[in-house]
Every structure is written in C-alpha cells, then in structure tokens.
Amino acid sequence: MTQALVPPEAAPRRHDREILALAVPAFGALVAEPLFVMADSAIVGHLGTPQLAGLGIAAALLTTAVSVFVFLAYATTAAVSRRVGAGDLQAAIRQGMDGIWLAVLLGTAVVAAVVPTAPELVALFGASDTVAPYAVTYLRISALGIPAMLMVLAATGVIRGLQDTRTPLYVAVGGFALNAGLNAGLVYGAGLGIAGSAWGTVIAQCAMATVYLAVVVRGARRHGASLRPDAAGIRACAQAGVPLLVRTLSLRAVLMLATAVAARLGDADIAAHQILLSLWSLLAFALDAIAIAGQAIIGRYLGAGDTIGARAVCRRMVQWGIVCGVLLGALVVAARPLFIPLFTSDQAVVDALLPALLVVAVAQPVAGVVFVLDGVLMGAGDGRYLAWAMLITLAVFTPAALLVPVVGGGLTTLWWAMTVMLLVRMVTLQLRARSGRWLVAGATR
C-alpha cells in the first residue's frame, strides 16, 4: 500500500540510484581486468620480442580457457541475488559457496589438461622455435593460477549478488597493483625473466581469491551458512551454467568467424579489424557495467516477488543502455583523430578502418540495448532462452559473414554483418523481454 503513495516520478530516480550504485564500481572493476595483461606486456616487452610474442600466445590461450567459464560469475549473481530478494541470506551465501566449489573443480580439471599439453597448444598458433619456449614456460606456470581465476569469477558473482560491486572494484585494483609490483620484482629484481611474470600473475590471482574467500567466509559465519561442498548444490550450479556456456561459446564463435573473414580480406583489413575489436572491447566495458547491475537488481526484485518492479527497472535500464550507446557512438566519431594514430600510421590500414569505424559508432545504441537485456535475462535466470537466442544469432551471422568476400565492400561490409548480428540479438531479446515469460518470481527459478 505504501508503494502507491510514492510519486510516479520518484520510481525512475530510485532505479537510477540503484543502477548507478552498482554500475559505476562494476565499470571500474571491468576496466582493471585487462590491465593485468597490459602490465605483463609492458614489463615483458623490455625482455625482448620473442618473450613478448610468447606472452601474447600464452595470454590468448589463458584468456580463452578462463572466459568460457564466465558463467560462474553470471549464474552465481542471478542465483544469489534471488535469495537476497527473498530475504534468505543464509541460502544466498550457501548458493555462492556451491559456485565457488564448482570453480575449484573446473579449475583443477583445466590445469590437469593445460600443463601437460602446453607445447601442443602453443604449436597450434604456429609459434617459431624462438618464441615457443617462452610461450610454453609462461603458459605452464600461469595455468597453475586458473583455479584461483575461476574462484575469483564465482566469488565476484556472490558479491555482486549481495548487491555489492565496490568490493570487486577494490580487489581488482589491489590485484592489479600487486601484479605489477610482483612482475617488476620477479622479472628484473630476481632475474626470473618471463617465468617471473607468470609467477607474479599466479600470486596476484591467488591473493585476490584469498580476499574474496575471506569476505564470503565471514558472511557465511555471520549467517550460519555451511562452507562444506554439497554435491547436489554443485550439480545444480553446473546445470544452471550449461546454457550460459553455450551462449558464451556461440558469441566467441561469432568473433572468431569475423576475424577469420577479415584475415581473408587482406593484411590491411585484418590489422584494422584488430583495432576495431580492441575498441569494441573497450566500449563493451561501459555497457557491460549496466548489464552487471541488471543481473543483481533483477534477481533481487524477482526473489522478492516484485515482478512489476522488475519490469519497471528493466525498462529504465534499457533507456540507460540506449543513452549510453548514443554517447559512446558520438565519442567514437569525435575522438577518431586522437586514437587512430595511437594504433597505426599505415595509410592503407587507416583507409580500411575509417568507414568501418563509423559503422561501429552507429551500432552502439543497438549494442546498449543488447547488453542490458542480456544482463536482465541473466539476472532472471533465463539462461536457456539466452542460449537458443545466441545460437539463432550465430546461424544468421555465419552466412552473412561468409558472403562478405563475395559481396565486396571489405571490412566495412563485415562490420555491417556484425551490426546485423547485434540487431538479431536485440530482436530476440526484446521479444523475450516483452513476453514477460522471464518474470518468474521466487527464491529459485
């Protein structure tokens, strides 16, 4: 009854405060993550070109190995936030512990697979005899930190589900500072070379995981939640994560296919494409911050049984996504004379880049809607629909991308195909959002 006394104009302001309170720290944490690789690259780069090339190959393999398990964060955020909304913090933390135990099991399995096969994995990249030993060394040592990396993903999901994005920001910033300091000390001070960089990263990741575990364990003791592994709970986390794994693999397949097509267009086109992908990733951080806020807020509303509030905050976040997309698109166009020279001075690459860059700018409002609705449906635990929607998108994008060399237009046409991919995602996600079938209330879906 008290809700009816709230002025209509107050609800959007309340939603704005909720979104900002979660999205701004989430953006900071997201930006801090790629700084790990940048710090490693800056320090290792001074050892020599072979070492830097080896780091690049090993980092690409590690990023792939870890990113496919990002569902540990997404699914955990949705499950924990639902229980928070239902007022059952003990069950929320218990759910989070199941996700962390699943991360330990998956991380151990990945280490067991990567360490003995490191030379073969590096060989897949066609590394030269000079580069390969450095790549194998870095990969084998850094792989030991994969369980900690996956625990960080799962624990981040727990903390976000508890409506806290500040702690992940503090941990990410602290982890970056520790990683940079350890790398410099071990690489040059201890004379360990590229192995020192790898050990620095492992230690930093383990330290981050330890901090997260301390936070979760403290919460578990406060609310009487068990810390022991629960087979049924771990199995439920894995089952909830499978659809999101399918979604993530389908999205990566889109990006890999786009890169493969760009490579066939010529050296200038693939170089320009890599620049666009780097920019695309940077823009995604801003939009993904809103999506992360969506995961936490929507789960909480649905856990509390407030489907009307969930729909209202969804609508408000879509508005945020559109506005942010427009602003980011305008920023890309306005700042292009400043950042293009940072990447290349090759006129052929610039000529391929400029028209495709305008396509990227035009697509940002669409991307804003896609990211937001993706986060909303994740927060609602609607992973199965997200998996099917992404498979449909991949099915549409594949022929469109393969036709690019036939149709002509080079890289610009390829990025129009990427925009078609975004439009397909937007349509499938909007259809689901409008249907209301994702609005399943309760502590569990």
Side-chain angles (χ1 to χ4, degrees):
M1 294 297 292
T2 56
Q3 219 171 3
L5 301 176
V6 177
E9 65 273 11
R13 289 200 300 270
R14 186 179 72 249
H15 295 326
D16 290 344
R17 287 194 296 270
E18 288 179 323
I19 295 166
L20 279 173
L22 293 174
V24 172
F27 175 70
L30 288 169
V31 171
E33 290 174 10
L35 293 179
F36 271 82
V37 177
M38 290 178 64
D40 289 2
S41 299
I43 293 169
V44 171
H46 291 286
L47 293 173
T49 300
Q51 289 91 332
L52 183 58
L55 169 64
I57 292 171
L61 287 165
L62 284 167
T63 300
T64 300
V66 173
S67 63
V68 296
F69 297 115
V70 72
F71 69 83
L72 287 167
Y74 294 160
T76 305
T77 298
V80 171
S81 61
R82 272 184 175 270
R83 285 163 174 78
V84 169
D88 192 349
L89 289 178
Q90 182 185 71
I93 295 175
R94 174 65 261 177
Q95 178 77 40
M97 283 305 306
D98 291 335
I100 292 173
W101 279 112
L102 176 61
V104 172
L105 294 175
L106 291 174
T108 303
V110 173
V111 172
V114 169
V115 171
T117 61
E120 290 74 19
L121 292 171
V122 169
L124 292 175
F125 279 75
S128 68
D129 293 339
T130 305
V131 170
Y134 295 113
V136 171
T137 297
Y138 190 92
L139 181 59
R140 276 184 166 157
I141 296 173
S142 294
L144 300 177
I146 288 178
M149 295 179 195
L150 298 190
M151 289 171 67
V152 166
L153 282 178
T156 301
V158 178
I159 304 300
R160 288 173 181 169
L162 294 171
Q163 314 297 298
D164 175 11
T165 55
R166 291 182 180 273
T167 298
L169 171 60
Y170 300 148
V171 175
V173 171
F176 165 71
L178 178 62
N179 178 67
L182 286 171
N183 269 260
L186 294 174
V187 170
Y188 297 111
L192 296 179
I194 195 170
S197 177
W199 281 116
T201 300
V202 170
I203 295 169
Q205 291 288 350
C206 289
M208 291 171 66
T210 301
V211 172
Y212 273 126
L213 282 176
V215 173
V216 174
V217 168
R218 187 169 64 246
R221 288 174 176 168
R222 184 185 306 126
H223 298 287
S226 172
L227 298 173
R228 295 178 181 177
D230 176 67
I234 294 171
R235 187 165 54 250
C237 286
Q239 290 171 346
V242 169
L244 295 180
L245 176 62
V246 171
R247 167 204 166 274
T248 300
L249 291 175
S250 300
L251 182 56
R252 291 198 69 84
V254 165
L255 298 176
M256 290 173 64
L257 179 58
T259 300
V261 171
R264 294 177 180 271
L265 297 176
D267 292 347
D269 288 283
I270 184 60
H273 180 71
Q274 290 306 313
I275 294 172
L276 287 171
L277 281 181
S278 299
L279 178 63
W280 181 274
S281 298
L282 181 61
L283 296 171
F285 288 139
L287 299 176
D288 205 26
I290 306 174
I292 287 170
Q295 293 171 30
I297 295 171
I298 291 295
R300 191 187 80 232
Y301 270 84
L302 293 178
D306 187 0
T307 57
I308 296 175
R311 188 184 285 277
V313 78
C314 169
R315 186 161 50 246
R316 191 62 175 172
M317 280 187 286
V318 168
Q319 293 169 356
W320 270 80
I322 294 171
V323 170
C324 288
V326 170
L327 293 175
L328 289 173
L331 182 62
V332 167
V333 174
R336 68 189 188 281
L338 299 177
F339 67 77
I340 289 178
L342 297 176
F343 289 97
T344 183
S345 58
D346 187 328
Q347 191 57 46
V349 176
V350 174
D351 290 342
L353 178 63
L354 280 173
L357 188 65
L358 295 177
V359 177
V360 171
V362 168
Q364 287 313 296
V366 179
V369 176
V370 168
F371 273 74
V372 167
L373 290 180
D374 207 40
V376 165
L377 296 183
M378 282 184 191
D382 205 9
R384 186 171 297 179
Y385 182 85
L386 288 172
W388 280 111
M390 198 60 227
L391 286 171
I392 292 170
T393 302
L394 177 60
V396 173
F397 176 74
T398 299
L402 294 176
L403 283 172
V404 167
V406 178
V407 173
L411 192 65
T412 303
T413 304
L414 176 60
W415 277 88
W416 276 120
M418 290 284 284
T419 303
V420 169
M421 177 271 294
L422 282 175
L423 286 168
V424 173
R425 289 189 71 191
M426 185 179 71
V427 170
T428 56
L429 296 176
Q430 280 190 323
L431 287 174
R432 186 65 166 182
R434 289 178 179 176
S435 73
R437 294 178 183 175
W438 57 279
L439 290 165
V440 180
T444 58
R445 183 176 171 85

